[in-house]
Amino acid sequence: MDITFINVCDFIGTLAFAISGIRLASAKHFDLFGAYVVGLTTAIGGGTMRDVMLGLSPFWMTNSFYLICSAIALVWVIIFRKLLVRQNNTWFLFDTIGLALFTVTGMEKTLQAGFPFWTAIIMGSITGAGGGVLRDVFINEVPLIFRKEIYALACVIGGFGYWICARYIVPPLYCSIICASLVILMRFLAVRYRLHLPVLKAEDESKKAQN
Amino acid sequence: MDITFINVCDFIGTLAFAISGIRLASAKHFDLFGAYVVGLTTAIGGGTMRDVMLGLSPFWMTNSFYLICSAIALVWVIIFRKLLVRQNNTWFLFDTIGLALFTVTGMEKTLQAGFPFWTAIIMGSITGAGGGVLRDVFINEVPLIFRKEIYALACVIGGFGYWICARYIVPPLYCSIICASLVILMRFLAVRYRLHLPVLKAEDESKKAQN
Amino acid sequence: MDITFINVCDFIGTLAFAISGIRLASAKHFDLFGAYVVGLTTAIGGGTMRDVMLGLSPFWMTNSFYLICSAIALVWVIIFRKLLVRQNNTWFLFDTIGLALFTVTGMEKTLQAGFPFWTAIIMGSITGAGGGVLRDVFINEVPLIFRKEIYALACVIGGFGYWICARYIVPPLYCSIICASLVILMRFLAVRYRLHLPVLKAEDESKKAQN
């Protein structure tokens, strides 16, 4: 197997996603097994949801690469625990590369399955951000992407970029590159300028809305 | 596309479900994107679980209607935020219509796929009440339908009504109408007379049951 | 239908899983319907996740056995509520038998679908332990299997046992028996000697890892 640029991005993205899951699990005093499962879920959860909805076999079921990546992430966290905070910028970079790649992969797989573009944008966003939602459900927290700075929205914006380019007959490869670049750009701007969406104000009696 | 009575019910039901999700998300200080995702999940989550288990493509992947409905719900909540409490009776009515329609849709789709009636009743209930469970998982609360007045049980009762009618060779259309009417009736009775099921008493040492 | 040894194990395993869900639901003051749903989810949740990922219809959709089992479990908890604590050793035994059987079933189904062995091990573990994770998500707790004594890891060890035996051309039936025995042995050892995996130490600033 030739190692391509995509493979490298996939590796560092999976690593970064798994490490984010393992770190949060360790903050909640999960044991090694639990931390591994949360890390793995963060890395493969989004793509699994996408594949199940597309009616495909989840991608990791025929490729042990992602399980091994998550194991490397676990070993990394154990060994470099005290250095992880200092590596935060690196992990942010890797996480962003992963987010961009996963969004593009999710979109392409959905378009290949014959679904419309807006479905592809949703599937791209689920591929990128869905694992983090599952991770937060497992550690029993409100999913961060619903409350904090722009994360899943970067996937949506990247997806719209793909769509617009494809409309103007830009070749698919360039659409993908533009989509990934937009995701990365949005994430950097969001973190650099602390961009976030407005929070909906609560009504006093909003509890009554629940059925 | 002709707009049918079913389309209208689908619209107001989806709207009511999305609004319930958006209101609860705003009570938890979700941002606009998070509120939209929770609203959308409340509206389409139950049907998505059903379709995945039936081996079908989730219904919303080929029809942008539900995404647009949820967007309308978001705009509605932003604009009429202070009036929502006064509209509670209307939203209760719309939510109930949605619950009835989604239950019938879920049952019919399951029967068409060749599954037995009791599976259809479960799928009808999941279609009606599953989105609310996902909503409550996302906002990190214990699902309300497990603790409060009769909600999913109304779907189950409607489903049994469908089953009994179908046994006595009532034509499918009338079965559906009877099912929907039963769901609506049960919900009204449940809220009017505060009907709820008995709560299981906890043992002192129930924690030990967990593995 | 002849009642086989497997049927008996399936019955007591399903019963034990459902009872564990119902007891925890009652500790959280769920109503009867909620307790039943949580019990049922504990019993069938793992197998449902497996079947959805394998692209099969969930096993319980064509066999009402599991719904009836869960109903029996509910009645049992209501009637014998005060005696349940004294029955804890029995339920531990039944739960362990269920865990072993579900692991073997999950592995066999995955291997029959043509997936590699390591996928079968994961699917076996999901079949055994996935229902408990869903149960804990529904009752809004951090999944216990991520924090407490060895549980899902017993499935993984049993799965490796199956793999090694199959490599040395042991007939499938014996592989299954060895796998089940390993799961049961591991669970007994784990509880008897309070075996658990080390907990990952939290970094001070682990929160920063979250995106």
Side-chain angles (χ1 to χ4, degrees):
Chain A
M1 187 181 86
D2 290 327
I3 293 171
T4 64
F5 177 67
I6 298 291
N7 292 145
V8 173
C9 290
D10 203 9
F11 175 70
I12 64 180
T14 304
L15 207 61
F17 273 50
I19 282 179
S20 109
I22 293 164
R23 289 174 82 177
L24 286 163
S26 73
K28 289 265 180 167
H29 308 293
F30 281 34
D31 65 20
L32 280 181
F33 179 82
Y36 178 73
V37 172
V38 175
L40 183 63
T41 305
T42 312
I44 68 173
T48 303
M49 285 197 269
R50 174 203 61 210
D51 287 343
V52 164
M53 287 197 272
L54 291 178
L56 306 169
S57 286
F59 63 103
W60 52 267
M61 284 173 66
T62 47
N63 185 347
S64 57
F65 172 78
Y66 302 93
L67 284 119
I68 294 164
C69 267
S70 301
I72 294 171
L74 184 63
V75 173
W76 191 282
V77 172
I78 294 168
I79 296 176
F80 296 108
R81 192 169 52 81
K82 289 190 177 160
L83 299 173
L84 279 173
V85 175
R86 258 189 280 164
Q87 298 168 352
N88 266 349
N89 286 336
T90 309
W91 291 120
F92 169 70
L93 177 65
F94 284 13
D95 189 278
T96 304
I97 292 169
L99 187 68
L101 177 68
F102 295 172
T103 306
V104 170
T105 315
M107 285 200 70
E108 286 175 348
K109 232 175 162 176
T110 311
L111 291 172
Q112 272 164 25
F115 287 99
F117 251 112
W118 53 266
T119 308
I121 295 176
I122 296 174
M123 288 296 163
S125 308
I126 290 175
T127 312
V133 172
L134 287 182
R135 172 199 68 196
D136 294 343
V137 168
F138 277 178
I139 62 169
N140 203 19
E141 296 281 348
V142 171
L144 259 184
I145 64 153
F146 296 157
R147 297 182 294 142
K148 247 186 65 177
E149 89 239 330
I150 287 162
Y151 190 81
L153 192 61
C155 307
V156 176
I157 291 165
F160 273 103
Y162 195 116
W163 190 355
I164 290 163
C165 293
R167 284 215 150 191
Y168 291 96
I169 331 180
V170 177
L173 178 62
Y174 292 96
C175 291
S176 299
I177 292 169
I178 288 164
C179 172
S181 310
L182 272 171
V183 174
I184 292 169
L185 180 68
M186 282 307 302
R187 276 298 288 157
F188 271 94
L189 291 177
V191 169
R192 177 72 185 78
Y193 297 103
R194 300 195 183 175
L195 300 181
H196 40 73
L197 288 169
V199 168
L200 269 180
K201 273 185 208 151
E203 325 143 42
D204 288 343
E205 297 189 68
S206 62
K207 278 286 160 192
K208 284 191 183 164
Q210 205 163 5
N211 309 296
Chain B
M1 187 181 87
D2 291 324
I3 293 171
T4 63
F5 176 68
I6 298 291
N7 292 145
V8 173
C9 290
D10 203 9
F11 176 70
I12 64 180
T14 304
L15 207 61
F17 273 50
I19 281 180
S20 109
I22 294 165
R23 289 174 83 177
L24 286 163
S26 74
K28 288 266 181 167
H29 309 293
F30 281 35
D31 66 20
L32 280 181
F33 179 82
Y36 179 72
V37 172
V38 174
L40 184 62
T41 305
T42 312
I44 68 173
T48 304
M49 285 197 268
R50 175 202 62 210
D51 287 343
V52 163
M53 287 197 271
L54 291 178
L56 306 168
S57 287
F59 63 102
W60 53 268
M61 285 173 67
T62 48
N63 185 348
S64 57
F65 172 77
Y66 302 93
L67 284 118
I68 294 165
C69 266
S70 301
I72 293 171
L74 184 64
V75 173
W76 191 282
V77 172
I78 294 168
I79 296 177
F80 296 107
R81 191 169 54 80
K82 290 189 178 161
L83 299 173
L84 280 173
V85 174
R86 259 190 280 164
Q87 297 169 352
N88 266 349
N89 286 335
T90 310
W91 290 120
F92 169 70
L93 177 66
F94 284 13
D95 189 278
T96 304
I97 292 169
L99 188 69
L101 178 68
F102 295 172
T103 305
V104 171
T105 315
M107 286 199 70
E108 286 174 348
K109 234 175 160 174
T110 311
L111 291 172
Q112 271 163 28
F115 288 99
F117 252 111
W118 51 267
T119 309
I121 294 175
I122 296 174
M123 287 298 163
S125 308
I126 290 175
T127 312
V133 173
L134 286 182
R135 171 199 68 195
D136 294 343
V137 168
F138 278 179
I139 63 170
N140 203 19
E141 296 281 347
V142 170
L144 258 185
I145 64 152
F146 297 157
R147 297 182 293 142
K148 247 185 64 177
E149 87 237 335
I150 286 162
Y151 190 83
L153 191 61
C155 308
V156 175
I157 290 165
F160 272 103
Y162 195 117
W163 189 355
I164 290 163
C165 292
R167 284 213 151 193
Y168 291 97
I169 330 178
V170 177
L173 178 62
Y174 293 95
C175 291
S176 300
I177 291 170
I178 288 163
C179 172
S181 309
L182 272 171
V183 174
I184 292 170
L185 180 70
M186 283 307 302
R187 276 299 288 156
F188 271 93
L189 291 177
V191 170
R192 176 72 185 78
Y193 297 102
R194 300 196 181 174
L195 301 180
H196 40 72
L197 289 169
V199 168
L200 269 180
K201 275 186 205 145
E203 326 142 42
D204 289 342
E205 297 189 68
S206 61
K207 279 286 160 194
K208 283 189 183 164
Q210 204 164 9
N211 308 295
Chain C
M1 186 181 88
D2 291 325
I3 293 170
T4 64
F5 177 68
I6 298 291
N7 292 145
V8 174
C9 290
D10 203 9
F11 175 71
I12 64 181
T14 304
L15 207 61
F17 273 51
I19 281 179
S20 109
I22 293 165
R23 289 174 83 177
L24 286 162
S26 73
K28 289 267 181 167
H29 308 293
F30 282 34
D31 65 21
L32 280 182
F33 179 82
Y36 179 73
V37 172
V38 174
L40 184 63
T41 305
T42 312
I44 68 173
T48 304
M49 286 197 267
R50 174 203 61 209
D51 287 343
V52 163
M53 287 196 272
L54 292 178
L56 306 169
S57 286
F59 64 104
W60 52 268
M61 285 173 67
T62 48
N63 185 347
S64 56
F65 172 78
Y66 302 93
L67 285 118
I68 294 164
C69 266
S70 301
I72 293 171
L74 184 63
V75 173
W76 190 281
V77 172
I78 293 169
I79 296 177
F80 297 109
R81 191 169 52 82
K82 291 191 175 160
L83 300 172
L84 280 172
V85 175
R86 260 189 279 164
Q87 297 169 352
N88 266 350
N89 286 336
T90 309
W91 291 120
F92 169 71
L93 177 65
F94 284 14
D95 189 277
T96 304
I97 292 169
L99 188 69
L101 178 68
F102 295 172
T103 306
V104 170
T105 315
M107 285 199 71
E108 287 175 348
K109 233 174 160 174
T110 311
L111 292 172
Q112 270 164 27
F115 287 99
F117 252 112
W118 51 268
T119 308
I121 294 175
I122 296 174
M123 288 296 163
S125 307
I126 290 175
T127 312
V133 172
L134 287 182
R135 172 198 68 195
D136 294 343
V137 168
F138 278 179
I139 62 170
N140 204 19
E141 296 281 348
V142 170
L144 258 185
I145 65 153
F146 296 157
R147 298 181 293 142
K148 248 185 65 176
E149 87 237 334
I150 286 161
Y151 190 82
L153 192 61
C155 307
V156 175
I157 291 166
F160 272 103
Y162 194 117
W163 190 356
I164 291 163
C165 292
R167 284 214 150 193
Y168 290 97
I169 331 179
V170 176
L173 178 63
Y174 293 96
C175 291
S176 300
I177 292 169
I178 288 163
C179 172
S181 309
L182 272 171
V183 174
I184 292 170
L185 180 69
M186 282 307 302
R187 276 298 288 156
F188 271 94
L189 291 177
V191 170
R192 176 72 185 79
Y193 296 103
R194 300 196 181 172
L195 301 180
H196 40 73
L197 289 169
V199 167
L200 269 181
K201 274 185 208 150
E203 325 143 42
D204 289 341
E205 297 190 67
S206 61
K207 279 285 158 192
K208 283 190 185 165
Q210 203 164 9
N211 311 296

